[in-house]
DNA sequence: CAGCATCCGCTTGGATACTG
DNA sequence: CAGTATCCAAGCGGATGCTG
């Protein structure tokens, strides 16, 4: 029942909502890993360097909750659990790759700007004597 | 001197780097506001609902540091400071809109999945009796 | 193997008060 | 108007130990 005919230019709250879903420390990396197909828990753990077991669990729960991944349990011994992107998850992955490409393309420029800012912290802006 | 000929599919570290830049609570909203043209400090403050003065300052400093916005000071009384997107900032805005559109399009589906997950927390996955 | 529970530090961010 | 400085609470995330 949302008024979808009112096309707000990039509705702020919704974007923020999604960004906080995807903007955490690990979600994107985990999603990217699953882009190559279904993955088991420890497989993901090894693939995503530096992630703790706790955070992998939490991240996967969050993604599952939002319908981005499915969790399939095989009650064998030892147990086996597969995580896989849903259609929604795949489409998110595609979109995130857009941001990823941007990041890769502009990484050097950003790092340069950062160094410039960090070294000289006083001549960074043009002070205009003229005013309204 | 980075080996740019090795095209890693969405280099994980770089993406994470940028996401943590843009994935904080306010950056995107601030950037979106500036997309409509240069803005003064309190103008941004009013436009971005809920932001504290402290966080607006920090957010703008961060964006300026990364070369995404410029800060122009008019030493008048009272002082006036304009913030404006750089070319880099504009290109980021465009990219972020991609994610924004995705968010808007799939918002309902995500919220539905979330409700489903939160209500029944046990029948959420298919347990397969078959295994490897 | 795939988790859950606990503890604990660090960072993020809000509220408030003060300044040029 | 456009900040800076301080204090403080909540949440994120790491380390460790235990379970089915």
């Amino acid at each position: 029942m949302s008024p979808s005919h009112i096309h707000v230019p990039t509705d702020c709250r919704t974007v923020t909502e999604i960004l906080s879903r995807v903007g955490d420390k690990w979600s994107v990396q985990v999603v990217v890993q699953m882009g190559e197909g279904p993955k088991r828990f420890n497989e993901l753990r090894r693939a995503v360097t530096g992630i703790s077991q706790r955070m992998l669990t939490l991240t996967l729960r969050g993604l599952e909750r939002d319908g981005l991944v499915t969790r399939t349990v095989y009650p064998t011994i030892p147990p086996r659990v597969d995580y896989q992107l849903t259609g929604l998850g795949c489409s998110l992955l595609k979109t995130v790759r857009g941001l990823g490409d941007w990041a890769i393309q502009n990484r050097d420029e950003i790092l340069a700007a950062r160094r410039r800012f960090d070294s000289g912290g006083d001549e960074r802006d043009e002070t205009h004597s003229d005013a309204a």
Side-chain angles (χ1 to χ4, degrees), chain A:
Chain A
M1 298 300 179
S2 60
S4 57
H5 58 283
I6 309 175
H7 185 253
V8 186
T10 59
D11 179 299
C12 291
R13 293 187 194 78
T14 309
V15 180
T16 304
E17 225 177 294
I18 300 304
L19 274 168
S20 58
R21 161 83 291 246
V22 127
D24 64 42
K25 201 173 177 182
W26 300 110
S27 288
V28 165
Q29 289 190 60
V30 171
V31 167
V32 167
Q33 287 306 319
M34 285 185 301
E36 298 166 7
K39 297 273 185 180
R40 300 180 54 173
F41 187 86
N42 278 341
E43 208 170 353
L44 286 169
R45 182 129 95 114
R46 280 186 296 272
V48 179
T49 323
I51 198 172
S52 65
Q53 174 256 30
R54 171 189 147 87
M55 287 318 296
L56 181 54
T57 301
L58 289 181
T59 301
L60 287 169
R61 285 296 170 280
L63 294 171
E64 188 193 358
R65 185 169 106 102
D66 287 359
L68 298 166
V69 310
T70 58
R71 177 173 180 272
T72 311
V73 179
Y74 302 90
T76 58
I77 295 181
R80 173 198 175 119
V81 179
D82 275 9
Y83 291 93
Q84 184 171 205
L85 288 182
T86 62
L88 195 60
C90 286
S91 77
L92 173 63
L93 177 55
K94 277 181 204 157
T95 309
V96 165
R97 274 199 227 270
L99 200 58
D101 291 344
W102 185 91
I104 292 170
Q105 280 169 27
N106 300 98
R107 197 184 102 101
D108 292 347
E109 195 172 342
I110 290 178
L111 291 180
R114 209 172 277 188
R115 272 191 302 274
R116 220 175 305 132
F117 186 93
D118 288 345
S119 57
D122 31 18
E123 71 262 28
R124 73 174 185 273
D125 51 34
E126 301 294 322
T127 302
H128 290 173
S129 301
D130 172 37

